Amino acid sequence: MRNPFFSSMAEFAAGRDEGRFSIEEVTRYFLGRAREIDGTLHACLFLSDNAINRARQLDNRRQREGAPSPFYGFPVMIKDNLEIKGSPTTCASRILEGYRSLRTATAVRRLLAQGAVVLGKTNLDEFAMGSSTENSAFGPTKNPWDLRRVPGGSSGGSAAAVAAGIAPLALGSDTGGSIRQPAAFCGVIGVKPTYGRISRSGLVAFASSLDQIGPFATGAEDALECLVAMAGQDPLDMTTVARDPEEMRRDFDRTSLSGLRLGIPEALFGEGLDPEIRERIGEVRQRLVGAGAREEPVGLPHSASGINVYYVLATSEAASNLCRFDGVRYGRRTAKAGALREMYEETRDEGFGLEVKRRILLGTFALSAGYQEAFYKKARKVQAMIRRDFLEAFTRCDLLVTPTSPTPPFAFGEKTGDPLSMYLSDIYTITANLAGLPALSVPAGRDKNGLPVGVHLIGPPWSEGRLLKVAGEISRYYDPGLPPFHAMSAGAGGVR
Ligand code: GLN
């Protein structure tokens, strides 16, 4: 177990209802754990100052009325690009210095309504741009499996927090892989839902047509519970779709491995893939086949263009979304500046980090007159082809199996000098965003260095329940165990 109380939300709910522990006790434990180890890990940007109060109130209400949901009192960490009214939201950027949110993200509000206790906010690559958390203005998060390596990104703080037992559940956002790749690197489950499943209201926009919020958890059931709680139409996000969140639970219960058709895009298992990862995924495939599934080769001929398409579309959207950070409406303003225009320029120059600037430049270029046809519009066309490939594949299979990442967690600094090699980290995950499909990463054991390997499942729209059921089956064989940092942690880090 990653904590002394429970190993799943169901166990938590049982212990809570039987009075084996109070919500306050559990909350204090996790905050204490963060204070104990996060000086080393740096998964958190800050801890909540009213979590204990809230826990106490929830305990009192439970005494009188009982607990209405399994979520009641369950602790959760939130990626710091999701807003909570009255709290800072930094997006790990200097430009949001001093900003306090005026609203609470719908996804978070729905968890709070179920009784969740927010422990704090987690570290990320600035504005969720990156694959390692090295782009955080506040310094990177470390991988609890090997402190010399990155936890993945951009939601690296959330992934590391769950892996190291600072929280049993955390939220992230995924635009091109930012939930699934860090989940793979940290040995936990991470889910990117179907586009439109979960409201993006209160998520600071990176690329609005690709962004989705999703959970990090240690078990498939907990991830399912969290998705069901967050999902559903929201008047504050026009792209949310009116579908019953409970359909995920029904699909979860209904799915069985027997006769399940696994689509295998063989072309994605070739060059560039770490041989040990290939081997691990091969083993998972064999297990699933042993349990009654069958494999179906599929071609995704346009997926090879995924990275190119993504880095045109995502940067174009980012360039326009990030216009709002102008020194007037949010956070930091460079005081010494004189005229309005200089104030904008200097604020943005000082406030944004290198990668964010690179994205804004790339996106502005892709959208500029004369280049729009060649870049943005062409990318949209190829995106449509990528989507069509997937829908065609799903006429012949129920889900696709691929690696989550082509490599194991890499060392700090290994890719920072070469943006292209960093961008390639997301080669397997990016196409699910481009096609709006649900996808997840689930641990598939460890490599010879003891580093976690993730297997990636992609499904047709709205198939989260099915994917999670299969992930749960995979977890039964491949529990990655606890990171070594877990055992070492007593006295491992400075108190924050
Ligand atoms: N690593 C990708 C990028 O840098 C994806 C990030 C994300 O999903 N937010 O854009």
Side-chain angles (χ1 to χ4, degrees):
M1 288 206 315
R2 263 166 234 260
N3 67 69
F5 302 100
F6 53 84
S7 57
S8 68
M9 197 182 298
E11 270 181 30
F12 161 81
R16 174 198 65 200
D17 293 346
E18 289 159 15
R20 270 188 271 130
F21 44 74
S22 68
I23 296 169
E24 182 179 343
E25 218 178 312
V26 168
T27 307
R28 281 188 188 281
Y29 167 80
F30 284 107
L31 291 173
R33 173 103 184 127
R35 289 202 181 89
E36 182 198 353
I37 67 173
D38 208 48
T40 302
L41 202 60
H42 197 39
C44 308
L45 291 180
F46 53 89
L47 301 177
S48 159
D49 47 20
N50 77 8
I52 302 280
N53 259 338
R54 175 166 166 83
R56 235 181 251 144
Q57 281 165 11
L58 291 169
D59 276 328
N60 287 338
R61 210 171 88 198
R62 194 186 72 81
Q63 295 277 324
R64 297 195 310 271
E65 303 161 20
S69 98
F71 243 111
Y72 190 86
F74 201 68
V76 55
M77 280 279 181
I78 310 288
K79 184 178 184 180
D80 200 23
N81 60 353
L82 285 157
E83 302 211 71
I84 300 179
K85 193 173 173 177
S87 303
T89 298
T90 68
C91 294
S93 180
R94 290 191 203 291
I95 209 158
L96 281 169
E97 214 170 73
Y99 170 68
R100 281 186 178 261
S101 290
L102 301 171
R103 58 176 173 182
T104 300
T106 299
V108 177
R109 193 158 38 75
R110 288 182 176 172
L111 296 188
L112 290 171
Q114 300 257 321
V117 175
V118 171
L119 297 170
K121 303 289 266 316
T122 54
N123 199 11
L124 63 153
D125 286 295
E126 185 176 5
F127 284 104
M129 297 173 186
S131 305
S132 67
T133 75
E134 290 168 292
N135 298 334
S136 167
F138 308 120
T141 299
K142 292 176 179 148
N143 189 318
W145 291 90
D146 179 345
L147 299 176
R148 293 162 305 182
R149 291 174 193 270
V150 305
S154 64
S155 318
S158 289
V162 172
I166 289 178
L169 183 74
L171 296 190
S173 65
D174 189 311
T175 306
S178 273
I179 293 177
R180 292 158 287 156
Q181 183 254 18
F185 278 16
C186 292
V188 298
I189 295 181
V191 189
K192 182 205 87 81
T194 312
Y195 188 80
R197 175 71 91 181
I198 292 179
S199 169
R200 291 172 295 108
S201 172
L203 166 67
V204 178
F206 163 9
S208 315
S209 76
L210 307 170
D211 300 338
Q212 274 290 294
I213 297 166
F216 290 91
T218 56
E221 277 94 351
D222 288 6
L224 176 71
E225 209 58 65
C226 181
L227 285 175
V228 172
M230 294 192 294
Q233 200 169 23
D234 176 17
L236 297 175
D237 176 357
M238 301 290 284
T239 64
T240 51
V241 174
R243 291 188 74 104
D244 179 10
E246 291 291 335
E247 75 177 336
M248 292 185 273
R249 211 190 294 279
R250 291 193 291 271
D251 282 344
F252 185 90
D253 292 338
R254 201 166 34 213
T255 299
S256 115
L257 289 182
S258 135
L260 197 76
R261 297 165 304 165
L262 309 174
I264 309 293
E266 287 295 352
L268 299 184
F269 283 81
E271 206 190 332
L273 176 60
D274 178 273
E276 267 203 81
I277 296 186
R278 184 183 299 123
E279 211 175 288
R280 290 275 80 74
I281 309 295
E283 211 181 293
V284 172
R285 285 166 52 179
Q286 258 173 25
R287 286 259 186 211
L288 293 175
V289 169
R294 63 187 157 80
E295 294 195 341
E296 195 68 53
V298 296
L300 298 170
H302 299 94
S303 278
S305 307
I307 298 257
N308 299 349
V309 170
Y310 173 87
Y311 277 95
V312 172
L313 298 181
T315 56
S316 298
E317 292 188 33
S320 40
N321 272 326
L322 268 56
C323 281
R324 57 170 65 86
F325 303 106
D326 55 7
V328 177
R329 285 172 282 190
Y330 304 88
R332 176 193 181 108
R333 171 182 308 177
T334 298
K336 63 177 189 292
L340 188 63
R341 193 192 167 99
E342 279 81 68
M343 191 278 288
Y344 288 159
E345 284 174 0
E346 284 177 34
T347 299
R348 287 166 69 83
D349 186 34
E350 290 181 12
F352 288 137
L354 207 62
E355 183 61 27
V356 174
K357 286 178 187 161
R358 178 163 26 235
R359 305 281 177 115
I360 292 173
L361 287 172
L362 278 169
T364 306
F365 179 72
L367 288 176
S368 56
Y371 293 102
Q372 226 182 73
E373 286 288 335
F375 294 109
Y376 184 80
K377 290 191 177 151
K378 187 164 175 194
R380 278 267 180 251
K381 286 182 192 152
V382 182
Q383 177 186 29
M385 294 171 174
I386 291 173
R387 193 178 291 148
R388 227 178 301 130
D389 286 351
F390 275 112
L391 297 180
E392 203 276 320
F394 289 129
T395 61
R396 284 177 295 117
C397 67
D398 301 306
L399 56 93
L400 296 163
V401 182
T402 77
T404 307
S405 158
T407 67
F410 43 89
F412 287 105
E414 200 178 312
K415 300 192 187 217
T416 39
D418 179 3
L420 274 186
S421 83
M422 187 73 90
Y423 296 172
L424 283 173
S425 307
D426 301 306
I427 187 145
Y428 293 111
T429 49
I430 258 168
T431 49
N433 302 75
L434 291 172
L437 302 171
L440 59 76
S441 180
V442 57
R446 295 193 266 143
D447 71 5
K448 64 174 182 308
N449 296 316
L451 297 167
V453 172
V455 55
H456 188 222
L457 309 179
I458 311 174
W462 319 111
S463 65
E464 290 88 342
R466 182 193 303 166
L467 297 182
L468 277 167
K469 179 60 170 280
V470 177
E473 296 294 325
I474 294 173
S475 302
R476 299 209 319 211
Y477 302 111
Y478 301 97
D479 178 1
L482 296 176
F485 183 61
H486 212 270
M488 272 164 41
S489 59
V495 174
R496 290 157 61 87

